[in-house]
Structure formats: structure tokens, C-alpha cells
Amino acid sequence: MDGKEYVQKVLSTVQKRNLGEEEFLDAVKEVLTSLVPVFDRRPDFIKAGLLERLTEPERAISFRVPWVDDNGEVQVNRGFRIQFNSAIGPYKGGLRFHPSVNQSIVKFLGFEQIFKNSLTGLPIGGAKGGSDFDPKGKSDNEVMRFCQAFMSELYKYIGSNRDVPAGDIGVGGREIGYLYGYYNKLKGVSEQGTLTGKGLTYGGSLARTEATGYGLVYFTEEMLKDHNLSFKDKKVVVSGSGNVAIYAIEKATELGAKVITCSDSNGYILDENGINLDVVKEIKEVRRGRIKEYLKSVPTAKYVPDFREIWNVKCDIALPCATQGEINEKSAKALVENGVIAVSEGANMPSTLDAINVFLSNKILFGPSKAANAGGVACSAIEMSQNSIRYSWTFEEVNNKIKNIMINIYNNSKNAAKEYGNEGNIVVGANIAGFLKVAEAMMAQGII
């Protein structure tokens, strides 16, 4: 059996076992098809059933989360934790609180996390979790009660040497604080390394807030530099207005770019003079408002009440930082027609497979999410290290570590792509580079 036959066999099995889980199936297909040349060289991987084991979570946990709202009414949400692979270290991956969360999305995110974590070079396995709870519009007390109810079940399955959750969409510093406090109460310990993204006063790391956005720009900067390009004087479109988008805008602007957009789930802002980041931070980090409020402070900007239309804005560089699947084939074609030279993913798989094919077939520089947005989990692992040694590094020290990790991820992905016959294809290179480390660890540890 050659590599292509093996991959097709596993894909067929995965599709039959996971009917209707489109997000997960797309993620598996994208990774596995790029690994064919690896299995052509390594038939021992086939014999060991690596893909059969890699595509099946080590543990999939789902549970109900009952809580009481401010009106005294009982609400019930679903909670999930998918512990996908622990071959290279304890499970590591964020928690997402959003109405769209279901098992397919959590499995897709957890599967991607295996390779992203491997690419950092740090000893962390892949996991993901979350709930269909929506923190938007909820009071602090409602969010606290939900987080405590959620942790009352999750605490049984996590720990600093077992599984270390962090934040994701809908889970910021407030939610992490509530989750961490209740975990310690339930366990009767102060186990700082069990959750990352904590506040600085109780074990958090400097640069964690900035890490994913900064890391995205560091990766993209290295990719541009490799082609004698830079951010300087480039027009950049960024989607989203959370931590990833805000700090990607900040760092890209520092490097000389003009960022002209940001968005939320309702629509997007176009400011041809360059996004005023102080206004965005006030709206999103202080008031937790909607991005259309930007016009109150900057009336010369334009608001479009359809966030998907953002990809029709002419730009040199696109940084999708909102959510999965936000760039479809049509949007990708619009970006190409408008002259985009580079696309780097700050969100988790924001480009569909069809969109990625459009970028690659048109020779657009493309940074896939598992490589380009690994700065956040890299900083989480750095936070774990600081918790282990009871010490804190400076912002500059952490930031430099993140930058070096992102540069290494780009170069390792580039080199893997070249070694396996796909020079210039960072999607294939990132998949192969991330897979090989996990594969060798799995081979060394036997059939478990």
C-alpha cells in the first residue's frame, strides 16, 4: 500500500465514523492529503496505524452545564473537551464559549491543535474545549455562575501535567479568572499551571494578551522577508476585533503598514486613514461594545453591515483574525483579483479548503493557521514554564521567545515543504513538520 492509498483508506473510515461533522472532516482531509509523500517514504508509519490513531481522539468528553441566570431561571448549555493527542506532552488547547460550538467544531480545533502545538517545538499535546454558552449580553454574575458550573465538571479531567486549557473566542481574562478560582476551590490547591491566560497577579505571563496577534505578524514578516518583501507601506485588511486582531493591527502598524479595516460578527469598519487602535480598544476591551460604535469617534470612517464583504476591500496583505470559514472561494478570488500578495491566518482555519486552493494556485504567499497563529499557544506554554519554576520573565524576554518560535515555525515549514517535493507550499510544509514530531513520539511509545 502506497501513501496515497493509505491516506484514502483512512479518510474513508473517518468520514463514515464522523457523519455530519463537516468542520472536523475538512480539517482531517486538509492535513492527511498533504502527508502522502511522508507515507511513501515511511511504510513503518503505515504498519503502525499512525493515521488511524491520530484521527481518533484519545478522549472525547461532553457534559451538560446547568446554571441560573439573573432572573432566577435555569439555563442548560453543553460543555465539551476533546483530548486529542498527548504523545509529546500534556494536552493543551483553548476553551471557546460561543453559540456555534458543537462537537464537530471542537474536534476540528483539537485536531488542528496537535500540529500547531508540535510546530512550536514545545512539549505540549493537542486538545480543545468549550460550550455553546454565549457570554455576550450576560452580566458578570451570570458569566461567573456559568464558569463555575462548567468547571464543576471539567475539573475532573484537567491538571498541570494532564490537560491545560486556555482561552479562545468568548473566553478572556474574566472567564479564565472565574474558571481558575473555582478549579482551585474544588481541588483544594493552588495549581497555577492548570490554566493559562491568567491575570498577572496570579500567575499569568506578560505578552500573553498580545501573543497571537504579534506572533501572526512575526510569522508573516518572515514569510514576506523570504520573498524580499515587507509590511512597510503595505495596505492591510484585518478581520475581527478581539485580541488577535487588535494586536495584529498594533504590530503591523509598528512595522510600517496601514491597516484599514477591522470587524465583528455584525459588520466591518473601513478607515482609509488607518484604523485608530485606541478607539477599537476602548470599544472592545473596556465597553465590550459593537464595532459600529467606531463611527462615533471617527465619523470619516465607513461601516458596512456585512462582515463577509470585508474581503472585497482592496489590499496588499490580508490577515483573517475572526473565525473559521470566513474566507470562502468567492472571497479568495476577490482578494486575488484586487491584488493581494499575502494572506496569513490569525483565526483557526478562517479559509475554506476551496479558498486555500485559490490562493495557492495563484501563487499568493499563504500562512496557514496552524503555523501563523501559534504565537498564542507558544506563550501559553511559556506561561506554564514560568508557573513551574515560580518565576516571571519580562515582557521583552517573552516577546523575543515568541518571535523566535514564529520564525522557526516558518523556516521549519518551508524546509519540510522543500524536502518533500512541495517547495513554497507552507500549508503542506506546516502539516508535515508538525506531523513528523508527533509521529516519531507515537512510534517510540508503542501502540497506546
Side-chain angles (χ1 to χ4, degrees):
M1 185 184 299
D2 63 17
K4 186 175 182 179
E5 291 170 333
Y6 176 55
V7 164
Q8 289 302 319
K9 171 177 170 283
V10 175
L11 276 175
S12 177
T13 300
V14 171
Q15 287 165 350
K16 290 175 183 176
R17 284 183 171 177
N18 301 277
L19 294 174
E21 297 185 354
E22 295 304 323
E23 296 88 355
F24 174 59
L25 293 173
D26 281 350
V28 171
K29 182 178 179 182
E30 187 266 319
V31 172
L32 265 58
T33 52
S34 66
L35 298 178
V36 169
V38 175
F39 293 104
D40 283 336
R41 290 193 195 182
R42 294 294 300 269
D44 56 322
F45 284 178
I46 299 176
K47 187 176 180 180
L50 275 186
L51 287 187
E52 289 89 340
R53 290 189 281 148
L54 193 67
T55 54
E56 194 67 32
E58 293 176 7
R59 189 173 294 103
I61 304 152
S62 63
F63 49 94
R64 73 181 183 202
V65 187
W67 57 284
V68 181
D69 66 20
D70 287 345
N71 296 320
E73 295 182 5
V74 175
Q75 305 292 334
V76 179
N77 288 95
R78 286 180 170 178
F80 302 93
R81 188 65 177 174
I82 305 294
Q83 297 172 333
F84 232 110
N85 191 284
S86 59
I88 62 174
Y91 305 109
K92 185 83 189 79
L95 298 171
R96 175 176 294 191
F97 292 170
H98 190 272
S100 66
V101 168
N102 57 35
Q103 181 165 283
S104 175
I105 285 176
V106 176
K107 283 171 69 176
F108 130 62
L109 293 169
F111 185 71
E112 285 281 295
Q113 201 76 40
I114 300 169
F115 308 98
K116 183 190 301 185
N117 292 0
S118 173
L119 283 167
T120 67
L122 302 169
I124 43 177
K128 207 75 177 182
S131 172
D132 57 1
F133 171 78
D134 188 357
K136 288 182 181 176
K138 304 292 193 302
S139 70
D140 286 349
N141 281 333
E142 286 177 320
V143 172
M144 180 181 71
R145 288 195 291 273
F146 172 81
C147 287
Q148 291 175 345
F150 184 84
M151 184 54 78
S152 69
E153 185 66 25
L154 183 67
Y155 88 98
K156 304 169 187 175
Y157 309 102
I158 64 175
S160 56
N161 293 308
R162 185 181 186 186
D163 183 354
V164 182
D168 192 77
I169 294 173
V171 180
R174 173 183 61 172
E175 289 77 15
I176 290 293
Y178 293 148
L179 291 165
Y180 175 73
Y182 209 63
Y183 175 85
N184 284 344
K185 178 178 175 61
L186 290 168
K187 295 286 285 187
V189 298
S190 181
E191 195 176 330
Q192 286 188 332
T194 296
L195 283 155
T196 58
K198 301 183 295 297
L200 294 175
T201 57
Y202 58 99
S205 175
L206 290 163
R208 178 62 188 90
T209 305
E210 296 86 352
T212 308
Y214 278 18
L216 169 66
V217 174
Y218 293 145
F219 179 94
T220 309
E221 180 186 28
E222 190 68 13
M223 182 169 69
L224 291 168
K225 189 186 300 182
D226 199 32
H227 294 81
N228 298 313
L229 298 166
S230 74
F231 271 101
K232 188 172 176 56
D233 299 325
K234 298 297 189 300
K235 190 174 285 189
V236 180
V237 164
V238 173
S239 67
S241 51
N243 275 352
V244 182
I246 285 173
Y247 293 100
I249 292 171
E250 184 170 278
K251 184 56 67 173
T253 303
E254 283 181 20
L255 295 177
K258 180 186 281 188
V259 182
I260 58 173
T261 67
C262 61
S263 68
D264 60 19
S265 57
N266 289 346
Y268 75 89
I269 289 293
L270 173 62
D271 189 343
E272 293 287 359
N273 294 318
I275 290 294
N276 185 323
L277 203 53
D278 289 337
V279 173
V280 177
K281 286 181 178 181
E282 171 67 22
I283 294 168
K284 289 297 181 177
E285 296 183 338
V286 179
R287 302 204 307 266
R288 300 180 189 272
R290 307 305 296 173
I291 200 63
K292 65 182 178 182
E293 296 171 25
Y294 185 92
L295 296 183
K296 295 178 182 178
S297 300
V298 188
T300 55
K302 178 182 178 183
Y303 175 72
V304 179
D306 183 348
F307 73 94
R308 289 189 180 276
E309 292 297 315
I310 195 171
W311 306 117
N312 292 321
V313 176
K314 189 173 183 179
C315 63
D316 302 302
I317 298 168
L319 303 177
C321 298
T323 190
Q324 74 270 3
E326 60 177 295
I327 300 181
N328 57 24
E329 184 178 15
K330 180 181 177 182
S331 299
K333 287 180 177 177
L335 282 166
V336 172
E337 288 169 6
N338 283 326
V340 75
I341 59 173
V343 179
S344 244
E345 299 185 318
N348 289 304
M349 274 189 87
S351 307
T352 65
L353 296 183
D354 289 337
I356 292 172
N357 288 334
V358 169
F359 295 137
L360 296 180
S361 63
N362 284 277
K363 308 298 183 186
I364 306 301
L365 302 180
F366 183 73
S369 59
K370 66 173 61 66
N373 81 355
V377 75
C379 191
S380 282
I382 291 168
E383 182 177 331
M384 290 167 64
S385 298
Q386 293 173 92
N387 293 159
S388 294
I389 62 175
R390 302 290 195 270
Y391 187 76
S392 295
W393 291 311
T394 66
F395 183 96
E396 290 74 19
E397 287 174 313
V398 176
N399 188 39
N400 285 335
K401 291 177 191 295
I402 293 168
K403 184 172 185 178
N404 289 333
I405 287 170
M406 299 311 296
I407 290 171
N408 288 337
I409 288 175
Y410 174 75
N411 287 319
N412 290 340
S413 300
K414 179 184 75 171
N415 294 338
K418 182 177 181 180
E419 181 182 349
Y420 283 87
N422 283 273
E423 186 169 4
N425 189 326
I426 303 302
V427 175
V428 170
N431 287 338
I432 291 176
F435 169 75
L436 286 174
K437 181 179 178 181
V438 177
E440 295 292 359
M442 292 175 70
M443 292 291 286
Q445 295 169 33
I447 309 300
I448 53 175

